[in-house]
Amino acid sequence: IYTLSLHDALPIYTYIYGVGATLPTNVTKTGHTFAGWYTNDSYSGASVTLLTLTDIGDKTFYAKWNVNTYKVTLNANGGTINNGNVANYVYGVGATLPADVTKTGYTFNGWFDNDEFAGSLVTVISLNDLDDKTYYAKWSVNSYNVTLNANGGEIESGDVAEYEYGIGATLPNAITKAGYTFVGWYDNANLTGEAFTAIANNVTGDKTFYAKWNVNNYKVTLNVSGGTINNGNVTNYVYGVGATLPADVTKTGYTFNGWYDNDEFAGEAITTIANNETGDKTFHARYTVNTYNVILVTNEGTINSGNVETYEFGTGAILPTDVTKTGYSFNGWFTNSSYIGGAVSSIANNDMGDKQFWAKWTINEYEVAVTAENGSVEGTGLYEYKSTATLKAIPNEGYEFIGWND
């Protein structure tokens, strides 16, 4: 009977010559795989599985162990391991799980040993861990900031301060700015490229958008009410610039009194459209009918009724006919002191300008008639007003001229 010593195993105390012994294979060591029994601690030579029936002498055998390497499965859940990937680990050494793990639009929240992400996250496999491992990457979807530079405008509804990856966002179009029309949102302050209406669900990162505006051009309607704009006509104006309304406006027989924003001419006359005004504009020209002076040169006559000193355009005037001058007959009014042309009885309703008329007179002739009894008279006949008539009474024979009786 010989003694049998087994290192790293329960010893078989003896074996019998002529019987031998089978060395045990059910030998375990945490984190290791049994590789056989050897007769030396250098594990040289062949491994020994049994003692033959002819073996003699005490025996010592040494168990050889191979350290275990375990498989590591990393389920990145759509992410990418950029550095430090781990496919396995060695017992007694362990491993550090990778931290440089990315997924577009998400933030990495660590590795978990279950797909429900229960418990604590795992950063390392310890040196005394055993068995294959599977870990699941946990992600939280990213929310990004959105800055909307309205460039002086006001977002009335639909403002966006952030968006979530995978969802995106719709940029507001209910945005106003006095005097401007909203063109769209641009991703640069120079407002170049294409306009954006939304943030797509597959984009990432904080975003800044700039509102682009076109200054408004408004229509101007000038109702001249029969007049004429000679210079400076205005058909539109640009917000921020405004416009000066024309002042050179004429209408036959009228004086221009300014532009008004209503056809009743209430309020003050308007000369300009201010640079901060908005909207289409309609202005109405206001006029006062012209009144002209009339000078009637009577040439020492007298206007007894119907005198005319002025007349209005559109109305005209009737020149007086009840005009008298001692010793003269009135022959009408003339437009010149030479009495060329025809006489004028009225000023037509479409006449304009100050007027001067000259009364034309014809001196009266009066008949001097004498009834002479018992004689005759020389010098009778027609005499002009203020002329001198000389009468000579010639009595018949036997008679004497005594005097004149009317």
Side-chain angles (χ1 to χ4, degrees):
I1 296 175
Y2 300 100
T3 299
L4 179 61
S5 297
L6 299 176
H7 285 263
D8 292 328
L10 294 175
I12 299 174
Y13 294 104
T14 61
Y15 76 97
I16 300 172
Y17 174 78
V19 177
T22 298
L23 300 183
T25 57
N26 186 18
V27 185
T28 58
K29 182 179 180 181
T30 301
H32 292 74
T33 298
F34 177 61
W37 295 103
Y38 288 79
T39 60
N40 60 88
D41 58 6
S42 298
Y43 311 112
S44 58
S47 62
V48 179
T49 60
L50 55 80
L51 294 173
T52 68
L53 55 85
T54 59
D55 276 339
I56 58 174
D58 294 336
K59 302 291 185 181
T60 299
F61 295 98
Y62 298 86
K64 182 178 180 181
W65 301 97
N66 288 334
V67 66
N68 288 344
T69 296
Y70 298 107
K71 181 180 178 182
V72 178
T73 301
L74 297 178
N75 186 339
N77 282 326
T80 300
I81 299 170
N82 301 304
N83 288 292
N85 190 26
V86 175
N88 51 61
Y89 73 98
V90 176
Y91 176 80
V93 178
T96 299
L97 300 185
D100 186 4
V101 186
T102 55
K103 181 180 179 180
T104 301
Y106 291 82
T107 297
F108 178 58
N109 296 132
W111 296 102
F112 287 77
D113 60 8
N114 63 93
D115 60 5
E116 294 182 354
F117 310 109
S120 300
L121 61 87
V122 180
T123 59
V124 295
I125 300 172
S126 69
L127 55 85
N128 57 359
D129 271 349
L130 302 169
D131 300 323
D132 293 343
K133 303 288 185 183
T134 298
Y135 297 101
Y136 301 85
K138 182 179 181 181
W139 302 96
S140 59
V141 65
N142 287 343
S143 288
Y144 301 105
N145 294 322
V146 178
T147 301
L148 298 179
N149 186 334
N151 280 327
E154 182 177 349
I155 298 171
E156 297 180 346
S157 64
D159 195 11
V160 177
E162 62 180 20
Y163 74 98
E164 193 173 277
Y165 179 80
I167 297 177
T170 299
L171 300 182
N173 57 19
I175 175 171
T176 58
K177 182 180 180 181
Y180 290 82
T181 296
F182 177 62
V183 177
W185 294 104
Y186 288 76
D187 62 0
N188 63 91
N190 293 325
L191 309 173
T192 57
E194 297 294 327
F196 288 80
T197 59
I199 301 171
N201 59 10
N202 61 346
V203 300
T204 61
D206 294 341
K207 302 292 181 183
T208 298
F209 295 99
Y210 302 83
K212 182 178 181 179
W213 302 95
N214 283 344
V215 64
N216 286 345
N217 195 321
Y218 298 107
K219 181 181 179 182
V220 177
T221 301
L222 297 178
N223 186 344
V224 294
S225 300
T228 300
I229 298 170
N230 302 302
N231 288 292
N233 190 27
V234 175
T235 58
N236 54 59
Y237 74 98
V238 175
Y239 177 81
V241 178
T244 298
L245 300 184
D248 186 3
V249 184
T250 55
K251 182 179 180 180
T252 301
Y254 291 82
T255 297
F256 176 61
N257 294 131
W259 297 102
Y260 288 76
D261 61 7
N262 63 92
D263 58 6
E264 294 181 354
F265 309 111
E268 298 293 328
I270 297 169
T271 59
T272 60
I273 301 172
N275 59 12
N276 61 349
E277 290 194 60
T278 60
D280 294 340
K281 302 288 184 182
T282 297
F283 297 101
H284 304 266
R286 183 178 184 181
Y287 302 94
T288 52
V289 64
N290 288 343
T291 298
Y292 302 107
N293 294 319
V294 178
I295 297 174
L296 297 177
V297 181
T298 61
N299 289 321
E300 298 179 353
T302 300
I303 298 171
N304 300 302
S305 63
N307 189 28
V308 176
E309 294 181 343
T310 62
Y311 75 97
E312 275 189 4
F313 177 82
T315 303
I318 302 297
L319 299 183
T321 56
D322 186 6
V323 186
T324 57
K325 181 179 179 181
T326 302
Y328 291 82
S329 293
F330 180 60
N331 296 133
W333 297 101
F334 287 77
T335 59
N336 59 90
S337 60
S338 299
Y339 310 111
I340 299 172
V344 178
S345 62
S346 65
I347 300 171
N349 59 11
N350 60 350
D351 273 351
M352 296 183 297
D354 293 340
K355 302 290 184 181
Q356 187 167 357
F357 298 99
W358 285 262
K360 182 178 181 181
W361 301 98
T362 301
I363 192 167
N364 290 340
E365 289 185 338
Y366 299 100
E367 182 179 4
V368 177
V370 177
T371 300
E373 293 181 1
N374 302 310
S376 61
V377 177
E378 293 181 351
T380 61
L382 296 176
Y383 290 88
E384 288 185 348
Y385 174 70
K386 286 191 175 181
S387 63
T388 301
T390 302
L391 297 178
K392 181 179 179 182
I394 304 172
N396 289 337
E397 186 176 349
Y399 287 85
E400 180 182 350
F401 177 66
I402 297 174
W404 300 101
N405 291 312
D406 57 4

